[in-house]
Amino acid sequence: MTVATLASEPSSRDRILDVAEGLFARRGYAGVGMKEVADGVGLGKSSVFHHFASKAELYSAVCARILSTIEDRLVRSLAEGGAPQVRLERLVGELMELLAAHPSYARLLLRSLFEDDDLAGDGPEEQAAQRAIGGIMESMATLLKEGMASGVFRASSVPHVLLLTVGQIAFPFASGEFGQEVLGKDVFDPAQVKRLKKEALELVQFGLVEQGRA
Amino acid sequence: MTVATLASEPSSRDRILDVAEGLFARRGYAGVGMKEVADGVGLGKSSVFHHFASKAELYSAVCARILSTIEDRLVRSLAEGGAPQVRLERLVGELMELLAAHPSYARLLLRSLFEDDDLAGDGPEEQAAQRAIGGIMESMATLLKEGMASGVFRASSVPHVLLLTVGQIAFPFASGEFGQEVLGKDVFDPAQVKRLKKEALELVQFGLVEQGRA
DNA sequence: GTCTATAGGGAGATAGAC
DNA sequence: GTCTATCTCCCTATAGAC
């Protein structure tokens, strides 16, 4: 870990992470070669190995960076306070905007969940990633619990609703060409993102908020 | 394509498809080797190549088989008729049961959507797969449109809701160890499946069905 | 930090005997 | 239909010069 420079040029390390993020998102861990990453950055393959000791380590670093970014955003969002209803709406909206602003995020994260050999190695990056996932899920679970306890949200099983909702929010931004075919337009087009946000918020809200059904 | 035998023993071709389905679901296209598939079936690698000319063809055949199964089930479900509300409830329930009964399905299908080199080759299996996807999505879209036209469903954008809902339904069954950690129990355990179905139905229903909000 | 060269293994696919 | 043997290529990773 080198010290951040004041100059604006991104370090080789960061440029490698950027390229690897895009490739891993599109083709998965096994589908990407280190040579491909190196070519994308404009370096030799050996130079990539100088910054990341192995392909697995590079992958972990990519995942950890994404998860930390998401966790930061969610924690900040929840810290702004407000009624559970308001916090939930803000959280879903910001999460979707974050995923929309970084097309690799949803795709890479969902892919990483599908790997059976989980990234539960013992490297520091893996630990950071696991911690971030834990933080993300626990913040959301806490919010749901509070809302249900106060009667604002419909009583239901927090973990099950959590799992369903995560899929609902993340899938559209991971669905690639499929999503494009369903919508008829690019999923990441601002107008489509806006519409997805609106529909998701209405689905979540009217599905969770108590409204006269005892 | 050989003729189906009356004997109950599955053909080598079917056994290859079974093994490949599980492996592709867990490790993705690039993460699986033909040797691995052959070992799983108990054959030599060359024997697998006798049944499927290439790895890509094997993958397409696996996808096509799954998609046809799902399409059949959905078409049959929708043909049973009933009010849009009833048909939607039945469709979501049956789809989730199908995904729950075949742990590879959701994982493999979501993975296949994430590949950027889509399976849009011109082989017959690819065409069958594409046709099945089209049929599945169109049936669901038609159902939503009918419900909205008759005022039973809240007016909204059919494609966007479709995309969000597909993610909600499929993700839990594709989420693997992540889902297990969130729920504290195996996602495919009958009790968990039942609960997921209940929560999903309530989310979809109260999010779509008009209930006193002009 | 970046490079060339290479080790060592495994991949997809083919040839041809049985 | 299944096998053994093999071809060719590309993979992760390392060695060591600059």
Side-chain angles (χ1 to χ4, degrees):
Chain A
M1 193 81 74
T2 57
V3 178
T5 28
L6 290 178
S8 53
E9 284 183 14
S11 65
S12 285
R13 196 174 193 276
D14 288 335
R15 282 162 58 219
I16 293 170
L17 285 173
D18 291 340
V19 170
E21 182 180 297
L23 288 173
F24 282 138
R26 289 204 299 276
R27 285 203 280 285
Y29 179 76
V32 174
M34 294 297 265
K35 167 110 167 51
E36 211 175 353
V37 175
D39 287 349
V41 184
L43 287 178
K45 197 172 50 167
S46 300
S47 301
V48 175
F49 276 103
H50 171 78
H51 293 281
F52 300 92
S54 71
K55 181 180 171 181
E57 193 178 304
L58 171 58
Y59 184 74
S60 295
V62 169
C63 291
R65 191 174 65 153
I66 295 177
L67 287 166
S68 297
T69 304
I70 294 178
E71 193 194 10
D72 281 1
R73 177 83 160 248
L74 290 195
V75 167
R76 251 188 291 128
S77 169
L78 289 175
E80 287 180 31
Q85 217 165 327
V86 174
R87 271 182 292 161
L88 180 65
E89 222 170 301
R90 197 172 52 218
L91 183 145
V92 172
E94 291 200 6
L95 187 47
M96 291 186 79
E97 284 198 4
L98 189 56
L99 296 179
H102 303 272
S104 302
Y105 281 16
R107 217 156 158 174
L108 194 143
L109 290 182
L110 290 198
R111 278 195 122 111
S112 81
L113 293 183
F114 300 168
E115 310 288 347
D116 68 340
D117 56 337
D118 45 350
L119 38 135
D122 45 359
E125 306 273 25
E126 275 110 347
Q127 289 178 0
Q130 287 293 341
R131 206 181 37 73
I133 288 189
I136 291 167
M137 297 310 288
E138 206 174 304
S139 327
M140 295 179 72
T142 302
L143 174 54
L144 287 180
K145 272 182 222 154
E146 280 182 29
M148 290 183 197
S150 65
V152 181
F153 296 155
R154 181 168 53 82
S156 54
S157 165
V158 171
H160 297 82
V161 168
L162 204 52
L163 209 53
L164 290 160
T165 305
V166 167
Q168 188 178 72
I169 293 173
F171 174 73
F173 299 107
S175 63
E177 301 183 6
F178 174 76
Q180 172 138 7
E181 275 170 38
V182 171
L183 297 188
K185 291 191 179 173
D186 183 8
V187 184
F188 297 100
D189 176 271
Q192 300 305 307
V193 172
K194 192 178 169 191
R195 190 70 199 253
L196 278 170
K197 246 175 66 180
K198 183 190 165 223
E199 300 292 351
L201 283 172
E202 285 179 5
L203 282 174
V204 169
Q205 198 178 337
F206 299 127
L208 269 176
V209 178
E210 193 89 65
Q211 44 176 345
R213 36 182 301 284
Chain B
M1 194 82 72
T2 56
V3 179
T5 27
L6 290 177
S8 52
E9 283 183 14
S11 65
S12 285
R13 195 173 193 278
D14 288 335
R15 283 162 59 218
I16 292 170
L17 285 172
D18 290 339
V19 170
E21 181 181 298
L23 288 172
F24 283 138
R26 289 205 301 276
R27 285 203 280 284
Y29 179 75
V32 174
M34 294 297 266
K35 167 109 167 53
E36 211 175 352
V37 175
D39 287 349
V41 184
L43 288 177
K45 196 170 54 167
S46 299
S47 299
V48 175
F49 276 103
H50 171 77
H51 293 281
F52 300 93
S54 72
K55 183 180 171 183
E57 193 178 305
L58 171 58
Y59 184 73
S60 294
V62 170
C63 291
R65 192 175 64 153
I66 295 177
L67 286 165
S68 297
T69 304
I70 294 178
E71 194 195 9
D72 280 1
R73 176 83 160 247
L74 290 195
V75 167
R76 252 187 291 129
S77 169
L78 289 174
E80 287 181 31
Q85 219 165 326
V86 175
R87 270 182 293 163
L88 180 64
E89 222 171 300
R90 197 172 52 218
L91 183 145
V92 172
E94 291 200 6
L95 187 47
M96 291 185 80
E97 285 198 3
L98 189 57
L99 295 179
H102 303 272
S104 303
Y105 281 16
R107 217 156 159 176
L108 195 144
L109 289 182
L110 290 197
R111 278 194 122 111
S112 82
L113 294 182
F114 300 167
E115 310 288 346
D116 66 341
D117 56 336
D118 46 349
L119 38 135
D122 46 0
E125 306 274 23
E126 275 109 347
Q127 288 179 0
Q130 288 294 341
R131 207 181 37 73
I133 288 189
I136 291 168
M137 298 310 288
E138 206 175 305
S139 329
M140 295 179 71
T142 302
L143 174 53
L144 287 180
K145 271 182 223 156
E146 281 182 29
M148 291 184 197
S150 65
V152 181
F153 296 156
R154 180 167 54 80
S156 53
S157 165
V158 170
H160 297 82
V161 168
L162 204 51
L163 209 53
L164 290 160
T165 304
V166 166
Q168 188 179 73
I169 293 173
F171 174 72
F173 299 107
S175 64
E177 300 184 7
F178 175 76
Q180 172 137 9
E181 276 170 36
V182 171
L183 296 187
K185 290 190 179 174
D186 182 8
V187 184
F188 297 99
D189 176 270
Q192 300 304 308
V193 172
K194 193 178 167 188
R195 191 71 199 251
L196 277 169
K197 247 175 65 180
K198 183 190 164 222
E199 300 292 351
L201 284 171
E202 285 179 5
L203 282 174
V204 170
Q205 197 178 339
F206 299 127
L208 269 177
V209 178
E210 193 88 65
Q211 45 176 344
R213 37 181 302 282

